[in-house]
Amino acid sequence: MRICNDLNKLSRFTAGIADICSTCHEVYTGKTHSCQKQANTPLILKGTRCCEKCGSVFDDILDEPFSKRYIPLVIVGSCIEHGAFFKSVDNDDLVVITQALSQTKHISFGNSQDFRIPRGPKSKDLLRRGINSFQKLFTHRQLLYLSASLYCLSTLHAEDQLWLALLVSTSLEFNCLLCGYKGSDIRRSGAIRHVFSHHAYSFPYTALENNPVFSGNTSGTLNRLFNDRIQKAWEWAIEPVETMITNSSRVKIKIIGEIDAGEPANDWKSLRQGERKFLVLQGDAGGVDLPDGIADYVVTDPPYFDSVQYSDLSNFFRVWLCRLLPHEADWHYNPLGSAVSEGGSSDGRKYGEVLGKIWENCFRVLNKEYGRLIFTFHHWKPEAWAELTLSLKKAKFTLVNRYVVFSENPISVHIMGLKSLKHDTVLILQPNIGEEKPGKWLKPSLIDFTDSYSFCHDCGTALGWFLGSDVSEEDIRKGWKYLIGGKDNNGKASG
């Protein structure tokens, strides 16, 4: 049974510590408290696995809707004069919740089958908890918010619908029953643990129902997300800023004369007329119809070899985006066609085959004289580097240069405490048209995996040598296994 954990020490403010009584559910401050009643459902401390009375092991309540597996306990608010506060849930609060339940009976988001949760590497965690629809991941008030958002968007001009729909979409990660409360630390007062903080579906002991239309600049609200993800992006587009390392310190510098803006074009002919034109296409990168030799650069980010199931997790947003923006994209495509296996264990050969078709198309569209293919890559597994090497080699690319850069902050929850790579290898490649190769890469010895930087640097060097050599496919696979086949790193994913 998972209802809600004991919210001991809800928050630390100058006013003191707010606690919740596990017997009567009253919120109080100070060291003493006297129960005036006894709640119907006792609270248990997070981490308790068995009933203290009978010893039975707690389990999920699968015969109840997901929203009913939690009970409302605490209201967290903000007062203009006194700041943040906590209060117990009273009858007036319960009436409002009941009214929302009644109102949702009159709204519809279309065919309910469209919200069915497909079985996937990550979404199977939802299904085994009896959650078979994405709508069931939201409270009734959150569904009303979505319904109102859809209506408001339908009344706006097209130029405003796009960015507002994206704003509503990103707000769902902070307005869902999978959100948790992490605002008990004074440094993160009121902060929300968003849905995909761990690149997976996590199920909080204490779910948090946010107020997305709250006017304050607080965690997960439309106001905060607009400032952080729309306003700041617009400011950067007008005056782009980059980071420069000076004396081991990071310095922000403006790119004088640069602007990230342009005029959309509808076809290739109009794209070539004038300056600052762009053309947006949606399609399979391995077969998208681009003219031969048109591109100076292809800058991309290939999918991770395994573990990170982007397509499976993105269903959470996709089912709403196709309603928020029904005509802005083709929503009918097969996610199983991605390079990363979405249907179970990773198939390395499939990864190489899909990437190979993409690189072949890149080779075709790149200018053969000075065109460049640029992307970042890292992985502990030799199979990942082998598939990358073979796919690039078959597509006739050679390595011009490689750089090593930081990829994630060491305190990131995705890598903290794990044997994970903290760097990326930036790879610069050019089409090989049979002329002299752009550089000589030394034949590698064993790759140094004692630290993240050295590992990525050596892997980039090894890739350059393999692409410039005449070794067979079998020898390339064996070569990578030899180079990074040590006991300490073989088979370790990089997070």
Side-chain angles (χ1 to χ4, degrees):
M1 176 179 61
R2 176 177 294 157
I3 298 177
C4 210
N5 66 291
D6 188 342
L7 293 180
N8 247 350
K9 298 182 181 178
L10 282 171
S11 188
R12 291 177 180 270
F13 297 95
T14 54
I17 299 175
D19 294 330
I20 181 170
C21 177
S22 60
T23 302
C24 70
H25 297 185
E26 286 295 320
V27 176
Y28 64 95
T29 59
K31 297 182 179 180
T32 60
H33 163 70
S34 298
C35 295
Q36 302 299 317
K37 61 179 181 178
Q38 183 166 346
N40 295 329
T41 306
L43 298 184
I44 58 174
L45 190 66
K46 179 180 178 180
T48 304
R49 302 299 180 186
C50 302
C51 175
E52 295 180 354
K53 295 181 179 179
C54 68
S56 299
V57 178
F58 293 135
D59 200 0
D60 285 310
I61 309 172
L62 300 182
D63 56 349
E64 290 278 3
F66 187 58
S67 61
K68 290 187 177 181
R69 300 177 200 178
Y70 294 92
I71 58 175
L73 290 175
V74 182
I75 303 293
V76 184
S78 179
C79 173
I80 296 177
E81 295 185 11
H82 305 97
F85 67 88
F86 298 92
K87 68 175 288 288
S88 304
V89 173
D90 57 30
N91 288 332
D92 290 338
D93 299 317
L94 296 177
V95 167
V96 173
I97 294 174
T98 302
Q99 289 174 345
L101 170 61
S102 176
Q103 292 173 20
T104 54
K105 295 178 181 179
H106 304 291
I107 64 175
S108 173
F109 297 106
N111 191 343
S112 61
Q113 293 300 308
D114 294 342
F115 289 88
R116 247 181 341 104
I117 295 175
R119 179 167 292 278
K122 300 296 183 180
S123 57
K124 66 182 180 182
D125 291 333
L126 299 173
L127 296 174
R128 67 186 179 88
R129 286 176 169 82
I131 307 167
N132 54 22
S133 169
F134 285 107
Q135 289 191 46
K136 295 181 179 179
L137 292 174
F138 299 87
T139 68
H140 297 291
R141 286 190 285 198
Q142 289 167 341
L143 291 174
L144 289 173
Y145 158 68
L146 278 163
S147 178
S149 298
L150 284 167
Y151 172 75
C152 289
L153 285 172
S154 68
T155 66
L156 300 175
H157 295 294
E159 59 266 27
D160 293 323
Q161 287 181 352
L162 178 61
W163 67 267
L164 281 172
L166 295 176
L167 179 63
V168 172
S169 174
T170 196
S171 75
L172 300 184
E173 197 173 3
F174 297 85
N175 295 278
C176 168
L177 270 171
L178 298 179
C179 295
Y181 181 69
K182 66 175 183 181
S184 58
D185 193 315
I186 194 170
R187 297 170 301 174
R188 296 177 174 179
S189 176
I192 298 172
R193 179 168 287 103
H194 58 90
V195 176
F196 296 118
S197 59
H198 291 84
H199 287 173
Y201 288 108
S202 302
F203 301 87
Y205 283 84
T206 306
L208 180 144
E209 184 183 32
N210 191 24
N211 179 6
V213 296
F214 180 61
S215 60
N217 191 33
T218 56
S219 182
T221 62
L222 289 174
N223 186 42
R224 175 66 173 270
L225 292 170
F226 174 84
N227 292 330
D228 288 351
R229 306 193 182 187
I230 303 294
Q231 179 73 15
K232 287 183 179 179
W234 179 82
E235 292 173 353
W236 188 94
I238 299 302
E239 293 185 336
V241 176
E242 297 291 352
T243 301
M244 175 178 287
I245 306 298
T246 304
N247 298 325
S248 300
S249 299
R250 297 187 178 191
V251 180
K252 298 288 186 180
I253 58 171
K254 293 182 178 180
I255 311 301
I256 305 300
E258 184 61 82
I259 183 173
D260 185 11
E263 180 184 351
N266 296 320
D267 51 50
W268 293 109
K269 183 179 179 181
S270 57
L271 180 67
R272 296 184 177 186
Q273 296 174 349
E275 297 180 347
R276 295 192 179 278
K277 297 289 188 70
F278 65 89
L279 177 61
V280 178
L281 300 174
Q282 177 189 358
D284 182 351
V288 63
D289 186 17
L290 306 176
D292 292 355
I294 192 175
D296 295 332
Y297 301 98
V298 174
V299 183
T300 186
D301 182 18
Y304 196 68
F305 178 68
D306 56 7
S307 300
V308 183
Q309 308 298 337
Y310 297 109
S311 183
D312 185 31
L313 294 177
S314 66
N315 283 321
F316 174 86
F317 300 101
R318 190 182 299 133
V319 295
W320 297 107
L321 277 170
C322 66
R323 282 159 176 76
L324 294 165
L325 297 168
H327 308 299
E328 298 295 326
D330 178 9
W331 300 106
H332 302 287
Y333 58 89
N334 179 19
L336 297 179
S338 63
V340 178
S341 174
E342 299 288 352
S345 60
S346 176
D347 183 354
R349 300 298 174 99
K350 177 197 172 187
Y351 179 80
E353 291 171 2
V354 175
L355 273 190
K357 293 178 181 178
I358 295 173
W359 301 146
E360 288 172 6
N361 207 25
C362 292
F363 181 92
R364 181 182 64 80
V365 303
L366 276 169
N367 181 293
K368 300 303 181 290
E369 181 180 356
Y370 51 77
R372 295 291 184 267
L373 169 63
I374 305 169
F375 61 91
T376 65
F377 193 79
H378 72 201
H379 210 291
W380 280 122
K381 289 186 178 181
E383 295 85 358
W385 284 100
E387 292 300 330
L388 178 68
T389 303
L390 291 169
S391 63
L392 287 168
K393 196 175 184 69
K394 290 176 182 177
K396 301 178 182 179
F397 278 100
T398 56
L399 188 69
V400 176
N401 210 340
R402 50 89 182 90
Y403 306 92
V404 179
V405 296
F406 276 110
S407 61
E408 289 199 70
N409 192 305
I411 66 172
S412 167
V413 296
H414 308 303
I415 65 175
M416 186 170 56
L418 303 174
K419 186 181 182 297
S420 303
L421 293 170
K422 302 175 181 63
H423 297 81
D424 266 329
T425 312
V426 181
L427 302 169
I428 317 295
L429 302 109
Q430 75 173 32
N432 181 4
I433 54 177
E435 298 179 354
E436 185 177 354
K437 294 182 175 58
K440 300 294 184 182
W441 298 95
L442 296 176
K443 184 176 181 179
S445 57
L446 285 178
I447 286 174
D448 180 2
F449 54 84
T450 57
D451 68 88
S452 175
Y453 180 93
S454 298
F455 180 86
C456 290
H457 180 275
D458 291 354
C459 283
T461 303
L463 175 69
W465 183 84
F466 279 121
L467 292 178
S469 69
D470 295 324
V471 296
S472 66
E473 176 178 334
E474 181 181 0
D475 286 339
I476 287 176
R477 296 186 187 280
K478 290 181 178 178
W480 277 110
K481 286 185 178 180
Y482 171 76
L483 290 173
I484 51 179
K487 292 181 180 180
D488 290 337
N489 67 312
N490 189 25
K492 297 288 186 181
S494 61

